[in-house]
Amino acid sequence: LAVYDPLFKVPLCFETGSSCDTGNTLIDGVGSFEQNSPNTVDTCNDQSAAVYQQDESVDRIVVKSKDGEIMTAGTTLEIHATVSTAVDVSTRSNPEHSETAHMYYHSESTGSWEWICTKMPSPGVGNVTLSCDFEIPEDNYYTTCGPSCSFQKVRVNYGYGEYAIEA
């Protein structure tokens, strides 16, 4: 189970294993309603005007190996993001849009966030778990890129239609 790390300012799983789970409370919420907000390793903060249990939020992230074995280079992972959809979007500028969740991993070899997948749940459906599969790249491990990649990182950017990207 992940715990909050005050040095990196994000939830971390310190033990190597077959999964890492933020649990039901560590990142539940949005903005000032979220423990240790913004729970991000860089400047990708939550929207400050978001309201807990009214607007969209990422409430839990689980990363686990698809085969149940220890996560290592070349392992296929399942990334599960439990999100809360917005209660009502009828007053937003584009009420016909979907909510959009983009999942990324951080490539230590390039220093950038790499897109994994996009999921688009409909607003107003409550809590939904969105899932993608992803293979840990060989160049994202200590033996290849040194001490800077001692932790693997994933990110889920979740918001309303304005966050759509070309995939």
Side-chain angles (χ1 to χ4, degrees):
L1 195 61
V3 295
Y4 179 73
D5 182 87
L7 176 65
F8 291 105
K9 299 183 175 158
V10 294
L12 287 177
C13 287
F14 289 96
E15 299 295 321
T16 302
S18 62
S19 67
C20 183
D21 183 349
T22 63
N24 291 320
T25 59
L26 192 57
I27 63 170
D28 181 38
V30 64
S32 63
F33 300 96
E34 177 183 9
Q35 287 185 58
N36 308 303
S37 179
N39 283 310
T40 186
V41 294
D42 52 27
T43 58
C44 187
N45 294 330
D46 291 330
Q47 180 189 39
S48 60
V51 177
Y52 183 56
Q53 296 182 334
Q54 296 295 311
D55 292 313
E56 54 279 341
S57 64
V58 177
D59 299 332
R60 181 179 189 178
I61 299 173
V62 178
V63 179
K64 64 182 184 174
S65 65
K66 198 165 181 83
D67 62 8
E69 300 295 321
I70 291 178
M71 296 184 279
T72 61
T75 301
T76 300
L77 304 180
E78 297 174 348
I79 301 172
H80 304 283
T82 301
V83 301
S84 293
T85 60
V87 173
D88 180 17
V89 296
S90 62
T91 60
R92 295 188 182 181
S93 60
N94 296 303
E96 71 283 356
H97 284 186
S98 293
E99 292 179 4
T100 307
H102 302 295
M103 297 186 198
Y104 300 88
Y105 78 94
H106 190 263
S107 171
E108 298 298 340
S109 61
T110 66
S112 62
W113 289 97
E114 303 292 333
W115 176 82
I116 299 170
C117 73
T118 296
K119 300 291 180 173
M120 298 175 66
S122 297
V125 296
N127 291 339
V128 175
T129 298
L130 310 171
S131 301
C132 293
D133 288 352
F134 161 68
E135 186 175 299
I136 300 174
E138 296 286 337
D139 66 355
N140 232 41
Y141 261 79
Y142 185 87
T143 55
T144 305
C145 62
S148 67
C149 63
S150 56
F151 290 107
Q152 301 295 304
K153 303 173 198 87
V154 296
R155 155 177 281 149
V156 178
N157 285 2
Y158 181 53
Y160 195 58
E162 62 268 22
Y163 297 105
I165 63 169
E166 292 292 321

